[in-house]
Amino acid sequence: QVQLVESGGGSVQAGGSLKLSCEASGDTGSLRRLGWFRQGPGRERQGVATIFPGLGDTKYADSVKGRFTIFQDNAKNTVHLQMNSLKPEDAAMYYCAAAKRYAGAWFQVDGYDYWGQGTQVTVSS
């Protein structure tokens, strides 16, 4: 089992920055992907970014490329999402997710086995 705890959400004006963090505990050595998803009111959960531990590979949604960066602190079993140049459309509940396997595309929700509780990001114009 793996537990995920997010932190770092909050409110920011458009153009501002936030850094989200997700601390993983438990059987973290079995994880193959660690990612961030977001879900706005009335919308489907969508993939934002993912990182493949040990491979040094990252994936991003087109809407966040060049603005968001996902990176991992291996010593602390933590994955971060640095979000810059935030836009009102980035506002959502952000969820950390982890996968034990390489199943499907990185942005598919059903490819992940563990989820955090979410952290709210609000961006005002």
Side-chain angles (χ1 to χ4, degrees):
Q1 287 291 324
V2 173
Q3 295 75 44
L4 303 172
V5 178
E6 303 102 331
S7 62
S11 297
V12 66
Q13 288 190 327
S17 298
L18 282 174
K19 180 182 174 183
L20 305 183
S21 299
C22 172
E23 183 173 359
S25 60
D27 188 18
T28 58
S30 67
L31 299 177
R32 297 294 174 263
R33 293 187 293 197
L34 284 163
W36 288 95
F37 287 70
R38 66 186 181 188
Q39 187 169 18
R43 304 185 69 178
E44 292 186 352
R45 192 169 296 190
Q46 63 173 184
V48 175
T50 202
I51 189 166
F52 296 82
L55 298 181
D57 192 20
T58 56
K59 301 290 185 183
Y60 295 92
D62 288 343
S63 60
V64 306
K65 281 181 181 177
R67 300 189 298 122
F68 291 12
T69 303
I70 186 170
F71 59 100
Q72 188 175 7
D73 180 345
N74 289 326
K76 297 182 179 180
N77 283 328
T78 301
V79 61
H80 305 280
L81 185 68
Q82 178 66 47
M83 305 186 294
N84 298 329
S85 302
L86 281 161
K87 305 175 181 180
E89 52 263 42
D90 294 318
M93 184 71 81
Y94 281 70
Y95 297 90
C96 179
K100 298 183 296 184
R101 58 217 154 88
Y102 300 110
W106 70 268
F107 49 83
Q108 289 182 275
V109 171
D110 59 6
Y112 292 78
D113 304 290
Y114 306 102
W115 293 85
Q117 294 300 307
T119 185
Q120 184 68 45
V121 171
T122 303
V123 183
S124 57
S125 57

